[in-house]
């Protein structure tokens, strides 16, 4: 904590340089695309020439921007600052959009390095149940996963589609990877008690994870979905985070891999 507070003192003036100025931030974001002259910048960011030139002078002094042949461009440092600025904006946007599944939920199951990359979920949305359709979030996820070829699942709560996707995989060549708690695994596999041998297929991989894990994750080729527990320990079955963005799917794959490294093979 002391280290973080000391770091803040070191960089607070740099943060204020951008946070306190819309025009400086918008110039950097605009120039990420390509070099631009003053008339184009004036049109894009909707500030007067004098306001832009004053901000540009400040950015040039910081060596974030340089002018060449009438066009303004980002320096190498400017490119890095602009990328971090966009990531910060996406992080705040993600937290604002997803607060219903983050606030008052056990986010500790998400490793620190992935929480730092929360901006990857910026294009996600929250599916919430409604009084006239309590099953709508579950049904949406179930339909999507049962129409996917390759599926990865982390399950701390039993959902019927876990059995359905297992049956589908027994009839197809799609790859299924399931990480289940012992309790969930016992329920799922009990439905295959009489035909347990058919699960022993090269395209089906089952693992056991710690019963204390409080996370549900569904991941396919073109979407990801995640459910979390409330901070009182009860699973929130009314909400799913769902996204089909490439960034979100990559993020979810990292989360799956994190727990796969901690899992052991389920003994049939």
């Amino acid at each position: 904590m002391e280290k973080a507070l000391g770091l803040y003192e070191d960089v607070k003036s740099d943060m204020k340089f951008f946070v306190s100025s819309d025009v400086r931030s918008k110039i950097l974001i605009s120039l990420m695309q390509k070099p631009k002259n003053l008339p184009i910048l004036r049109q894009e960011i909707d500030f007067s020439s004098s306001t832009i030139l004053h901000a540009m002078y400040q950015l040039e002094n910081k060596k974030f921007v340089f002018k060449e042949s009438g066009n303004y461009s980002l320096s190498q440092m400017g490119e890095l600052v602009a990328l971090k600025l966009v990531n910060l904006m996406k992080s705040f946007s993600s937290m604002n959009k997803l607060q219903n599944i983050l606030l008052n939920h056990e986010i500790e199951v998400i490793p620190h390095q992935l929480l730092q990359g929360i901006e990857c979920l910026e294009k996600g949305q929250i599916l919430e149940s409604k009084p006239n359709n309590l099953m709508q979030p579950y049904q949406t996820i179930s339909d999507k996963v049962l129409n996917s070829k390759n599926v990865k699942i982390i399950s701390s709560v039993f959902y019927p589609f876990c059995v359905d996707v297992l049956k589908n995989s027994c009839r197809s060549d799609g790859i299924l990877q399931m990480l289940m708690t012992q309790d969930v695994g016992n329920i799922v596999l009990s439905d295959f008690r009489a035909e347990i041998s058919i699960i022993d297929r090269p395209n089906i991989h089952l693992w056991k994870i710690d019963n204390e894990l409080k996370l549900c994750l569904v991941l396919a080729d073109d979407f990801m979905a995640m459910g979390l527990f409330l901070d009182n320990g009860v699973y929130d079955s009314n909400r799913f985070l769902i996204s089909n963005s490439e960034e979100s799917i990559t993020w979810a794959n990292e989360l799956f891999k994190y727990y796969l490294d901690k899992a052991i093979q389920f003994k049939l």
Side-chain angles (χ1 to χ4, degrees):
M1 181 62 70
E2 290 182 3
K3 184 177 180 180
L5 290 173
L7 181 61
Y8 172 78
E9 292 299 325
D10 290 339
V11 301
K12 65 180 180 181
S13 62
D14 296 307
M15 293 192 298
K16 185 178 179 181
F17 181 77
F18 296 105
V19 174
S20 64
S21 171
D22 289 349
V23 63
R24 289 194 291 262
S25 296
K26 288 183 176 180
I27 287 173
L28 286 179
I29 294 168
S30 178
L31 293 179
M32 289 179 70
Q33 186 180 14
K34 63 180 181 180
K36 294 168 184 172
N37 59 26
L38 181 59
I40 293 177
L41 282 169
R42 188 172 61 239
Q43 181 180 11
E44 281 193 357
I45 67 176
D46 197 25
F47 286 103
S48 66
S49 294
S50 59
T51 300
I52 293 174
L53 288 172
H54 177 68
M56 199 68 76
Y57 172 76
Q58 295 171 317
L59 289 168
E60 287 179 302
N61 275 348
K62 287 275 192 179
K63 295 183 171 52
F64 294 151
V65 171
F66 64 92
K67 185 178 181 181
E68 186 175 46
S69 302
N71 288 321
Y72 294 97
S73 302
L74 294 179
S75 68
Q76 291 89 340
M77 284 298 295
E79 290 179 9
L80 291 173
V81 170
L83 284 171
K84 289 297 181 183
L85 185 60
V86 170
N87 283 345
L88 180 62
M89 292 189 302
K90 290 173 68 177
S91 293
F92 276 108
S93 177
S94 296
M95 289 184 286
N96 289 336
K97 289 172 62 178
L98 306 179
Q99 64 175 322
N100 284 351
I101 201 170
L102 297 176
L103 188 65
N104 300 323
H105 286 72
E106 295 193 17
I107 63 172
E108 296 82 3
V109 295
I110 302 173
H112 185 69
Q113 65 269 25
L114 290 178
L115 283 176
Q116 287 184 323
I118 198 73
E119 69 272 6
C120 294
L121 304 179
E122 192 265 335
K123 294 181 181 178
Q125 59 177 310
I126 303 299
L127 295 179
E128 295 194 62
S129 61
K130 297 176 175 59
N132 63 340
N133 190 354
L134 295 176
M135 295 297 293
Q136 189 270 333
Y138 166 79
Q139 194 60 55
T140 299
I141 302 300
S142 179
D143 290 346
K144 289 180 73 67
V145 72
L146 292 177
N147 283 292
S148 299
K149 182 176 181 180
N150 300 306
V151 178
K152 298 176 182 177
I153 295 175
I154 296 177
S155 186
S156 300
V157 175
F158 174 71
Y159 276 117
F161 69 69
C162 291
V163 173
D164 293 335
V165 75
L166 188 53
K167 290 179 179 178
N168 281 356
S169 297
C170 288
R171 297 190 295 265
S172 72
D173 58 354
I175 297 175
L176 170 64
Q177 301 180 73
M178 293 180 67
L179 278 65
M180 303 172 285
T181 62
Q182 182 74 53
D183 293 341
V184 173
N186 289 342
I187 297 172
V188 171
L189 296 178
S190 68
D191 282 20
F192 285 86
R193 188 77 57 190
E195 47 192 347
I196 201 76
S197 61
I198 70 172
I199 302 178
D200 189 19
R201 290 166 52 94
N203 65 318
I204 297 176
H205 308 277
L206 306 179
W207 287 276
K208 181 171 65 175
I209 52 175
D210 193 332
N211 264 339
E212 298 302 313
L213 178 62
K214 296 180 178 181
L215 172 70
C216 286
L217 180 73
V218 178
L219 178 62
D221 295 329
D222 61 352
F223 86 102
M224 60 80 66
M226 181 174 69
L228 296 174
F229 282 68
L230 295 163
D231 54 16
N232 62 4
V234 176
Y235 180 65
D236 186 358
S237 59
N238 296 318
R239 298 177 183 87
F240 277 103
L241 160 66
I242 187 169
S243 177
N244 59 6
S245 77
E246 185 176 340
E247 284 184 318
S248 297
I249 293 171
T250 298
W251 185 93
N253 268 300
E254 289 296 318
L255 181 57
F256 183 86
K257 184 178 183 303
Y258 176 83
Y259 282 108
L260 177 60
D261 290 343
K262 300 176 180 294
I264 58 175
Q265 190 169 11
F266 223 109
K267 293 183 179 179
L268 302 177

